[in-house]
Amino acid sequence: MIIIKSQKQIEGIRESSKLAAQTLEYVSKFIKPGVNTEELNSVVHKYIVDHGAIPAPLNYNKFPKSICTSINNVVCHGIPSIHDILKEGDIINIDITTILNGCFGDTSATYPVGKISSEANQLIDKTQQSMMLAINSLKPGLKLNNCVGKNIENYLRPFGFVPVRDLGGHGVGVKFHEDPFVYHFATKQGDVTLKPGMTFTVEPMINASQNWHVTFDKSDGWTVRTQDGSLSAQFEHTVLITNTGYEILTQL
Ligand code: MF3
Ligand code: CO
Ligand code: CO
C-alpha cells in the first residue's frame, strides 16, 4: 500500500531529508586515503544525534552501524569497519538515513578517494546523471517505471553500464522502507501511477559491467557485491511528487 503523505507529514519528511543531505555533505569532507570507514561512521553518528535525530540503519534488521559504506565492488549495505581503510583510487558510497521527529530521509552519494581511474570517474558521473534524468522526468499521472527504470537503463546502455536488479528504491518517510518498490531497470512489474504526496527514493546501483548480478555476503548478512568483481556506484535522493512535478527533498 502506497502512503500518500499529508502536508504535515511532508513537512516532517522535508526536515529529516534536509538533515540527511547536510550530514552527507559533512561526512564527505572526511573522505581521504588512510581513513577507515568506522571513523566515517562515528563522525556521522555524532552529527545526527547532535541534531536531535536518530541514524535509521543502526539496529535496523540487526544492521550494526549508523551508515552504510560501500567501497569499489561493494554495491550497497557495506558495514563500516576499522579494517576497511580507504586508499587512493577507491570509490566509496556513503548512505545516510535519518529519523527526525519520526520522519525518514534517505540519501547517498559515491565519492572518489584521491585520484581515480577514468573508468571509475565515468561510472560515478553517469550514475549520478542517470538518477537526475530519472528524477527530472517525474510528474503526476506518469508511470513510475517509465520515468525511473526505463530512463536509467536506456541512458546507461551506450556506456556499457547496467543497473543492478535485485535491489531498488522504495517509498520512504513514515517508515524506512515503504511501498512502492522502485525498479531501476525497464520492467512492467510494479506498475505504479505517480500521484501528488508520494515520497520515495531513486537510488540506482550501477555496475561498470554488462553483468547486473550481485552476491549477498552470508557471513555478515549484509554486504552486497558485484558478481564479477566490477566497480559499482550509487546515488540516492528522496523525492516528493508535487501537483506539477517533483521536489528533491535531500537536496541542499
Ligand atoms: N539506506 C539504504 C537504502 O537506501 C538502506 C540501508 S539498510 C541498512 O535503502 F540496514 F543497511 F542500513
Ligand atoms: Co533508500
Ligand atoms: Co539509502
Side-chain angles (χ1 to χ4, degrees):
M1 193 203 62
I2 298 175
I3 306 168
I4 300 296
K5 274 76 178 187
S6 67
Q7 208 48 50
K8 189 154 183 267
Q9 287 171 323
I10 289 168
E11 276 155 32
I13 298 163
R14 191 182 278 124
E15 283 307 303
S16 189
S17 296
K18 200 207 294 175
L19 176 61
Q22 285 165 346
T23 307
L24 186 58
E25 185 187 70
Y26 175 72
V27 68
S28 71
K29 302 202 165 64
F30 291 82
I31 297 170
K32 53 175 187 277
V35 170
N36 71 62
T37 53
E38 170 54 38
E39 294 176 80
L40 301 176
N41 180 72
S42 61
V43 156
V44 168
H45 185 90
K46 181 167 169 20
Y47 188 90
I48 290 177
V49 170
D50 285 350
H51 286 78
I54 300 164
L58 187 61
N59 302 322
Y60 174 77
N61 293 342
K62 301 200 176 131
F63 191 80
K65 298 286 176 177
S66 298
I67 57 171
C68 299
T69 47
S70 303
I71 301 171
N72 296 336
N73 63 318
V74 177
V75 171
C76 63
H77 302 168
I79 303 174
S81 160
I82 55 166
H83 303 295
D84 289 333
I85 302 165
L86 299 181
K87 57 181 196 307
E88 180 105 10
D90 285 345
I91 63 172
I92 178 172
N93 175 278
I94 300 186
D95 195 328
I96 309 281
T97 312
T98 47
I99 314 174
L100 181 63
N101 301 319
C103 299
F104 291 74
D106 192 4
T107 186
S108 85
T110 300
Y111 300 94
V113 181
K115 192 171 163 37
I116 61 172
S117 71
S118 58
E119 190 202 35
N121 198 61
Q122 162 150 283
L123 177 67
I124 290 177
D125 180 53
K126 300 309 173 196
T127 300
Q128 183 168 28
Q129 292 295 328
S130 75
M131 173 188 67
M132 291 311 297
L133 184 73
I135 292 172
N136 287 332
S137 74
L138 296 168
K139 212 175 157 178
L142 300 183
K143 296 281 186 203
L144 176 61
N145 188 258
N146 284 343
C147 297
V148 177
K150 203 170 157 190
N151 277 333
I152 288 173
E153 185 170 356
N154 288 339
Y155 174 75
L156 292 166
R157 187 174 301 110
F159 304 107
F161 299 151
V162 287
V164 165
R165 298 186 170 217
D166 293 331
L167 301 113
H170 50 92
V172 67
V174 177
K175 290 190 290 175
F176 198 164
H177 294 107
E178 305 170 359
D179 288 341
F181 187 88
V182 180
Y183 296 89
H184 296 118
F185 58 99
T187 175
K188 296 214 183 321
Q189 291 167 277
D191 179 28
V192 170
T193 301
L194 297 171
K195 293 193 180 58
M198 287 183 178
T199 51
F200 56 86
T201 70
V202 178
E203 51 176 306
M205 287 145 269
I206 306 300
N207 297 349
S209 172
Q210 303 282 32
N211 183 347
W212 51 262
H213 288 98
V214 298
T215 62
F216 295 87
D217 193 308
K218 289 204 178 60
S219 56
D220 71 20
W222 283 99
T223 309
V224 182
R225 297 184 181 82
T226 56
Q227 185 186 58
D228 62 4
S230 60
L231 290 178
S232 193
Q234 181 180 24
F235 284 81
E236 175 174 23
H237 273 312
T238 295
V239 299
L240 163 73
I241 301 301
T242 64
N243 290 327
T244 51
Y246 64 88
E247 179 182 333
I248 303 178
L249 299 179
T250 44
Q251 191 148 273
L252 291 177

